[in-house]
Amino acid sequence: GAGVSQTPSNKVTEKGKYVELRCDPISGHTALYWYRQSLGQGPEFLIYFQGTGAADDSGLPNDRFFAVRPEGSVSTLKIQRTERGDSAVYLCASSTRDSLSGANVLTFGAGSRLTVL
Amino acid sequence: AQKITQTQPGMFVQEKEAVTLDCTYDTSDQSYGLFWYKQPSSGEMIFLIYQGSYDEQNATEGRYSLNFQKARKSANLVISASQLGDSAMYFCAMREWSGNEKLTFGTGTRLTIIP
């Protein structure tokens, strides 16, 4: 497709369970980002990939969170032993240079809403 | 200190009027970029406009313009001739070049256009 695709759009799970959230970026975009947006807040940076490697994972809150991008395209955000505080919308973005401004502009997906009961 | 501050949690504006959404930022970098995104109720973040710290002219993009005052560290978004479809959350964000490619976002302003 033409945009960033995220699945599932909604995920409800129980405390302590493992979840995976998938992101399919725009074809050809080498940079991929994960953000978390809690209710009433702006998106909060989690991790950034350039190609297959994590260039910056400083935003991951703890070792229960992990993300991979094995072939440099699709990425999966993995959350172990989920907690109620993990409930949020998880946004994925990929980037390219904007033709008008030259800026590295992020294009976001619609997000995966995670609810931990 | 907050890197991006948006002091207006919500704004109501009459249709066809202009509206200014405030954004101030905090950085010690000389090179940085400022972005505005729109988030409708559908949840997707839509890029609106960009201003580089070395750009001498204010950025414009259709009905959107960015009032960039570098000395004051402000980057306010101006929407002219507002439309009902402009009702959404608006986020200001910054990228600092000394770090990496990540964007830091403010808490947003909810804009409601009144018919």
Side-chain angles (χ1 to χ4, degrees), chain B:
Chain B
Q2 292 288 331
K3 283 192 176 288
I4 296 287
T5 302
Q6 294 182 254
T7 57
Q8 306 152 311
M11 288 191 72
F12 290 83
V13 172
Q14 203 74 38
E15 189 181 6
K16 297 179 185 170
E17 290 187 351
V19 56
T20 298
L21 305 181
D22 295 342
C23 173
T24 57
Y25 58 91
D26 181 27
T27 181
S28 55
D29 280 17
Q30 295 302 309
S31 183
Y32 52 89
L34 296 155
F35 299 75
W36 278 91
Y37 279 83
K38 172 183 179 181
Q39 188 177 42
S41 55
S42 60
E44 198 158 337
M45 300 282 283
I46 302 167
F47 167 70
L48 296 178
I49 196 165
Y50 165 81
Q51 180 86 40
S53 59
Y54 292 118
D55 294 340
E56 293 187 352
Q57 299 217 355
N58 286 344
T60 61
E61 191 68 50
R63 293 186 299 113
Y64 304 109
S65 60
L66 202 152
N67 184 2
F68 180 47
Q69 298 189 38
K70 195 169 181 177
R72 291 186 171 187
K73 293 189 174 178
S74 76
N76 298 341
L77 176 70
V78 180
I79 306 174
S80 63
S82 57
Q83 303 171 356
L84 295 178
D86 294 334
S87 294
M89 284 290 290
Y90 287 81
F91 291 97
C92 179
M94 176 174 64
R95 173 184 289 123
E96 297 165 287
W97 262 256
S98 66
N100 50 45
E101 295 292 310
K102 72 182 182 188
L103 288 182
T104 302
F105 285 84
T107 53
T109 296
R110 180 171 296 282
L111 176 64
T112 303
I113 306 300
I114 305 165

Side-chain angles (χ1 to χ4, degrees), chain A residues 3-6 23 90-94 107-112, chain B residues 43-45:
Chain A
V4 177
S5 176
Q6 291 189 247
C23 173
Y90 290 82
L91 295 167
C92 178
S94 63
T107 301
F108 284 83
S112 292
Chain B
E44 198 158 337
M45 300 282 283

Side-chain angles (χ1 to χ4, degrees), chain A residues 69-90:
Chain A
R69 195 186 185 198
E71 297 178 357
S73 177
V74 171
S75 176
T76 304
L77 178 65
K78 307 181 180 194
I79 310 173
Q80 298 178 321
R81 304 184 303 281
T82 51
E83 299 177 357
R84 292 194 180 87
D86 298 336
S87 296
V89 175
Y90 290 82

